[in-house]
Amino acid sequence: MWDRLKVVKRAFLRPLVAGMLTALMPAAAACSDGGEQRTGAGTRPTSSLNAPERAPAKCSTASACTTRQLADSAGVTLGTAVRADLLDEPAYRDTLLKTLNSVTPEYELKWDAIHPGPDTWNFGPVDAIVKFARSHDLRVKGHALVWDQKLVDSTPDWVLRINDPDELRTVVTKHIATTMRRYTTAVDRWDVVNEPLETLGTAMYNNHFRKVLGADYLVEVFKIARAAAPAEQLWLNEAAVEFQPAKAAALVDLVRTSLEKGAPIDGVGLQGHLVGGTVESSSLQQLIADLEALGVTVAITELDVPARDPVPPLEVQADSYRRVFEACLSQRCREVTLWGFTDRHTWIDATLGSGLEPLPFDRNYRAKPALTAIRERLDAQR
Ligand code: GLA
């Protein structure tokens, strides 16, 4: 049933995003080289790295540095969504380790994956990611504790069937406490609520949690998370604000009012799925500044830039990556997480069809101009 629901939701998502692709902005991206992972380039030494602020850079000139070393020496968290089932693929693992210093489980920590039944937990895939991250000094971010949207989400059917507020409160509390506490030494930051606003709109999405727990469910859920994990960073994560100014303003309002109501929000993630192919640096910069002015930390959390076929201009895609890094790093924002790093493995293929090639490495792990753009901006930050 849950699988069928996902299929139905995706069937709606595909034309919706395809429509947005057509409506929004010029095309993006195709291929070339760039950075140390150029086609045919040999393997460079992998640094021993930890969180960026603690990791000494072991290279001097930019061309001698891996992208990961550039990020470390720039004090930037450069992350990726990661999949446990791909960690044994040598090119996937090696490219990740040379390029990125942080991972976010793409599916494995979502409610339907880790807690598929009231008393059924599936910790194995997250444990594997945590073990991999520990062995390679990667940071791990937790995504996402509560997420119910119209088109795609992670709330399992058994939770959607609970209509009694007290019962749902108990279930949410148990889900959050069990998940956060198990990974308390491995994960220092959590997306507590994902996508509270309507995807294409400015209102709070009237999801299951809001319907049952009430209009202030978001404040309540953040308080539940704080009680479960007093020392951890609690984040709100939102989609499609980069190209919808009215939604960006609604997000700032939502964060402000939630903080006023006592929600312990430490940070706000801007997902950065640039379905239109590009974004204005200045408006994204302003949104980041407005959020930072509220006292929260801001990061780009799920960046990818689908390119339009049939001839995706790779330089346009690279420019979009450059603009996003510029908007972030010109403010206090010091993290950009990509939603995957190779076109070989991207959610976009399954959801919107193949050929949109949204990531900085192609299907054969060759670097694209987007990687060069990222490296140049990181180098400028060092
Ligand atoms: C949202 C979620 C991600 C991912 C993408 C693509 O952005 O936050 O976890 O699932 O959608 O489906």
Side-chain angles (χ1 to χ4, degrees):
M1 168 60 195
W2 175 235
D3 285 349
R4 276 213 314 279
L5 184 62
K6 291 288 188 206
V7 169
V8 171
K9 285 193 169 199
R10 290 218 161 96
F12 282 107
L13 180 65
R14 193 164 169 159
L16 174 100
V17 184
M20 289 166 75
L21 272 170
T22 310
L24 292 163
M25 314 172 217
C31 193
S32 97
D33 64 350
E36 86 280 11
Q37 282 93 357
R38 239 174 258 134
T39 311
T43 334
R44 290 180 191 276
T46 302
S47 60
S48 167
L49 301 171
N50 213 311
E53 56 279 13
R54 282 179 282 146
K58 293 182 177 161
C59 55
S60 50
T61 61
S63 60
C65 295
T66 64
T67 305
R68 182 174 174 173
Q69 285 173 314
L70 290 178
D72 281 338
S73 55
V76 172
T77 295
L78 183 62
T80 180
V82 69
R83 278 174 42 189
D85 61 318
L86 298 175
L87 292 176
D88 289 335
E89 189 183 310
Y92 180 90
R93 197 183 50 236
D94 295 348
T95 306
L96 189 162
L97 291 175
K98 278 191 290 186
T99 310
L100 303 143
N101 57 27
S102 167
V103 290
T104 305
E106 182 164 356
Y107 299 106
E108 296 81 350
L109 262 174
K110 289 172 177 167
W111 194 324
D112 54 345
I114 200 166
H115 189 185
D119 298 308
T120 310
W121 294 85
N122 180 26
F123 296 121
V126 184
D127 291 355
I129 290 173
V130 165
K131 188 173 170 208
F132 172 78
R134 281 217 171 102
S135 315
H136 298 286
D137 292 323
L138 295 160
R139 183 179 177 192
V140 185
K141 292 182 298 141
H143 170 83
L145 294 168
V146 166
W147 178 31
D148 177 35
Q149 257 292 342
K150 190 187 296 181
L151 297 170
V152 58
D153 57 45
S154 69
T155 309
D157 264 3
W158 69 270
V159 178
L160 294 173
R161 282 194 294 265
I162 302 171
N163 291 311
D164 175 70
D166 288 337
E167 188 185 348
L168 186 59
R169 203 164 274 126
T170 303
V171 163
V172 168
T173 303
K174 181 179 170 194
H175 174 71
I176 288 179
T178 305
T179 309
M180 292 181 89
R181 286 177 186 157
R182 181 175 178 91
Y183 297 108
T184 191
T185 58
V187 177
D188 61 355
R189 162 172 146 205
W190 292 87
D191 290 338
V192 176
V193 177
N194 195 28
E195 300 181 354
L197 296 171
E198 290 189 349
T199 306
L200 298 178
T202 57
M204 288 285 281
Y205 179 60
N206 198 23
N207 64 25
H208 181 64
F209 301 96
R210 190 168 186 272
K211 281 182 199 149
V212 178
L213 298 177
D216 281 335
Y217 89 93
L218 184 142
V219 175
E220 184 173 2
V221 168
F222 268 88
K223 287 181 177 172
I224 289 170
R226 174 59 80 230
E232 291 170 23
Q233 287 265 313
L234 308 181
W235 283 51
L236 184 161
N237 200 45
E238 188 52 87
V241 284
E242 303 81 9
F243 47 85
Q244 295 186 95
K247 183 170 178 181
L251 175 63
V252 175
D253 276 355
L254 174 64
V255 174
R256 180 188 298 112
T257 54
S258 300
L259 288 168
E260 284 166 5
K261 290 175 186 172
I265 300 174
D266 297 307
V268 176
L270 310 177
Q271 291 184 2
H273 295 295
L274 300 185
V275 292
T278 189
V279 68
E280 288 302 322
S281 272
S282 55
S283 53
L284 182 55
Q285 209 166 305
Q286 188 59 53
L287 170 59
I288 294 171
D290 290 348
L291 288 166
E292 288 179 344
L294 298 177
V296 296
T297 307
V298 178
I300 308 298
T301 51
E302 304 186 16
L303 180 62
D304 50 21
V305 186
R308 295 171 80 173
D309 21 34
V311 189
L314 285 191
E315 297 300 340
V316 174
Q317 182 180 55
D319 193 50
S320 293
Y321 274 92
R322 187 178 292 113
R323 288 171 195 228
V324 172
F325 275 76
E326 176 59 29
C328 169
L329 297 178
S330 65
Q331 304 298 307
R332 289 198 292 276
C333 169
R334 285 295 175 274
E335 175 195 328
V336 179
T337 290
L338 316 175
W339 213 236
F341 53 94
T342 165
D343 294 334
R344 193 181 195 89
H345 302 295
T346 162
W347 70 281
I348 301 260
D349 277 4
T351 311
L352 302 178
S354 60
L356 293 171
E357 300 176 354
L359 294 165
F361 290 90
D362 73 11
R363 286 172 187 271
N364 295 313
Y365 295 96
R366 287 181 301 228
K368 295 159 64 177
L371 188 75
T372 308
I374 293 170
R375 289 175 57 86
E376 285 171 358
R377 189 57 187 84
L378 291 172
D379 187 36
Q381 194 74 20
R382 298 201 298 154

